[in-house]
Amino acid sequence: MAEEPVRIASVGLGRWARVLARGTRRSPAIDLVGGFSRDAERRRAFQEELGLARTWSSYEELLADPEVEGVVITTPNATHRALVEQALEAGKGVFVDKPIAGTLADACAIWRAAEATGRVVAVGHSARRLSGHRIQRRWLEDGRLGEPALVAATFTNERALELDESTWRSRPEQSPGGGLVQLGVHHFDTLAYLLGPIAAVSALVRRVHSRGDVPDLASVSLEFASGVLGSVATGWSSPGSYRVDLHGTKENLHYRLEFTAWDDSHRTEEHCALESQAYRSHERLPVELPGSDMFREELEEFALALRGEARVEVGPAEATQALAVVFAALASSERGGALVPLAEVLEETGAGVPA
């Protein structure tokens, strides 16, 4: 652990910046020293709520501050590339919330910039850190589940019913796929963490109840490079629900989470359940879930990586692959559900995937 806390600053001071800021307060390794937003009122409110000593009136002023070692970016997806590249050029490490960028070309550009500068870039795919998923991974690795066979996942909330033209999430050029890019991308990262690379996708994506100009419903079939099959359903117009059912040849693990507890990650596991089901048994037995804190963990890992004391678990490579699943699903839906290889959408970016 670093002798002195790692000094970081928030960029984009909306609701999610406050959620992550509270996560930093739970880590002795991090000192959140301030924040930046173009909106002066947001800067004032963020500073007062968190008791910070300062904010910056421009991004350039923040990046020029030698006290700041890294930035935490929670701005709209389409702005990520420019902000990340600028921070890397200024010698700062970057934590950027998921998805890594608004387009695959921008994601690849961030990936290349991270490799060119050698700076730390971490991406906020936090869900894989939930203790239920850690147990699923461990049971796969130690053979208790047997050979993986099938995975089925669901993620919903009501955001599409609350959209209006004033929010960037209602516009397809800034939030392609709607709930698919905001919710589904969580599962695409987590399932790749559990089962390895996703090779191809077949999907139907529809706007049915959304009050924005973006889809709210998606049904995605996944083919993993290993041959395992999976499905992800996302809905942006129904009460919050989060499930991942992992099926093996010896045992199944059924994981569910109460979505209303998502923001308070240090208490999320109090609202989760994991159940096992053994071969030839219809009985589901509870599996104990240890406490976890996915936001604190990912931010602390980022902070320690800035001092060379840790490596980030989710960087540009993993995050770009998760985003590629989103765009493969959109391409598949446009073709009536035809199977689309991830390699195809990555090649079509024209940006080039780093070697």
Side-chain angles (χ1 to χ4, degrees), residues 5-60:
V6 180
R7 300 177 300 277
I8 65 174
S10 293
V11 178
L13 307 182
R15 182 186 73 85
W16 200 247
R18 298 195 300 275
V19 170
L20 294 185
R22 293 195 293 270
T24 68
R25 290 296 173 82
R26 296 192 293 271
S27 171
I30 302 172
D31 180 10
L32 180 65
V33 296
F36 162 70
S37 169
R38 291 177 299 177
D39 188 315
E41 176 56 29
R42 280 195 173 188
R43 293 198 302 270
R44 183 200 62 77
F46 189 79
Q47 184 175 13
E48 288 186 1
E49 178 180 338
L50 293 161
L52 301 174
R54 62 180 305 185
T55 61
W56 295 267
S57 59
S58 76
Y59 191 43
E60 292 72 18

Side-chain angles (χ1 to χ4, degrees), residues 48 75 85 105 134 136 140-141 151 174 191 242 255 302 304 324:
E48 288 186 1
T75 58
E85 290 180 336
R134 296 303 201 194
Q136 288 177 323
L140 280 167
E141 290 177 337
V151 65
Q174 295 195 47
L191 298 188
Y242 181 101
Y255 184 49
F302 163 65
L304 294 176

Side-chain angles (χ1 to χ4, degrees), residues 163 169 172 175-184 205 214-216 234 236 330:
L163 294 174
R169 289 184 178 87
S175 186
L180 186 64
V181 76
Q182 302 301 331
L183 301 181
V205 183
V214 292
D216 53 314
T234 61
W236 225 16
L330 293 173

Side-chain angles (χ1 to χ4, degrees), residues 153-161 163 177-185 187-188 204-210 214-220 232-242 259:
T154 306
F155 201 170
T156 66
N157 67 26
E158 309 95 328
R159 179 60 64 87
L161 302 178
L163 294 174
L180 186 64
V181 76
Q182 302 301 331
L183 301 181
V185 76
H187 277 327
F188 300 146
L204 295 176
V205 183
R206 298 288 185 265
R207 180 187 176 196
V208 178
H209 306 293
S210 175
V214 292
D216 53 314
L217 304 179
S219 179
V220 184
V232 171
T234 61
W236 225 16
S237 53
S238 57
S241 174
Y242 181 101
F259 181 70

Side-chain angles (χ1 to χ4, degrees), residues 8-346:
I8 65 174
S10 293
V11 178
L13 307 182
R15 182 186 73 85
W16 200 247
R18 298 195 300 275
V19 170
L20 294 185
R22 293 195 293 270
T24 68
R25 290 296 173 82
R26 296 192 293 271
S27 171
I30 302 172
D31 180 10
L32 180 65
V33 296
F36 162 70
S37 169
R38 291 177 299 177
D39 188 315
E41 176 56 29
R42 280 195 173 188
R43 293 198 302 270
R44 183 200 62 77
F46 189 79
Q47 184 175 13
E48 288 186 1
E49 178 180 338
L50 293 161
L52 301 174
R54 62 180 305 185
T55 61
W56 295 267
S57 59
S58 76
Y59 191 43
E60 292 72 18
E61 181 186 9
L62 186 163
L63 294 180
D65 192 326
E67 183 181 9
V68 176
E69 298 174 70
V71 295
V72 176
I73 296 173
T74 57
T75 58
N77 305 344
T79 67
H80 288 179
R81 174 181 175 178
L83 294 171
V84 171
E85 290 180 336
Q86 196 172 348
L88 294 177
E89 290 169 3
K92 311 298 185 185
V94 177
F95 177 99
V96 60
D97 197 46
K98 65 83 205 163
I100 184 173
T103 68
L104 275 176
D106 282 357
C108 290
I110 290 172
W111 189 353
R112 291 197 306 274
E115 294 203 339
T117 62
R119 301 287 177 186
V120 174
V121 175
V123 185
H125 278 288
S126 57
R128 61 162 64 194
R129 300 174 186 272
L130 290 163
S131 65
H133 292 319
R134 296 303 201 194
I135 291 172
Q136 288 177 323
R137 169 75 176 250
R138 189 161 63 247
W139 284 29
L140 280 167
E141 290 177 337
D142 66 18
R144 181 164 176 176
L145 285 183
E147 295 297 323
L150 188 71
V151 65
T154 306
F155 201 170
T156 66
N157 67 26
E158 309 95 328
R159 179 60 64 87
L161 302 178
E162 302 166 356
L163 294 174
D164 60 52
E165 60 184 15
S166 69
T167 175
W168 63 269
R169 289 184 178 87
S170 70
R171 297 188 283 274
E173 69 276 10
Q174 295 195 47
S175 186
L180 186 64
V181 76
Q182 302 301 331
L183 301 181
V185 76
H186 275 293
H187 277 327
F188 300 146
D189 172 71
T190 298
L191 298 188
Y193 159 73
L194 292 173
L195 296 167
I198 296 167
V201 173
S202 173
L204 295 176
V205 183
R206 298 288 185 265
R207 180 187 176 196
V208 178
H209 306 293
S210 175
R211 295 181 183 173
D213 193 23
V214 292
D216 53 314
L217 304 179
S219 179
V220 184
S221 295
L222 307 173
E223 181 178 347
F224 293 83
S226 64
V228 171
L229 298 180
S231 65
V232 171
T234 61
W236 225 16
S237 53
S238 57
S241 174
Y242 181 101
R243 298 185 64 98
V244 175
D245 296 315
L246 181 59
H247 300 259
T249 56
K250 292 181 180 179
E251 203 150 357
N252 299 332
L253 277 175
H254 303 282
Y255 184 49
R256 67 179 184 273
L257 178 154
E258 171 52 59
F259 181 70
T260 57
W262 186 272
D263 288 7
D264 295 318
S265 63
H266 58 305
R267 301 190 61 185
T268 299
E269 302 298 348
E270 299 173 15
H271 305 272
C272 295
L274 183 66
E275 296 177 325
S276 66
Q277 180 184 1
Y279 184 66
R280 295 188 182 278
S281 172
H282 65 276
E283 189 176 10
R284 295 191 180 188
L285 302 176
V287 178
E288 184 178 358
L289 288 170
S292 67
D293 189 342
M294 58 183 171
F295 301 145
R296 170 186 166 168
E297 181 182 321
E298 65 181 358
L299 290 162
E300 187 170 86
E301 180 183 83
F302 163 65
L304 294 176
L306 294 178
R307 299 275 181 89
E309 298 179 19
R311 295 184 63 184
V312 298
E313 182 170 336
V314 183
E318 295 81 6
T320 299
Q321 292 295 321
L323 186 60
V325 181
V326 172
F327 283 97
L330 293 173
S332 172
S333 186
E334 290 174 358
R335 303 175 197 175
L339 192 68
V340 174
L342 258 66
E344 177 184 316
V345 295
L346 286 166

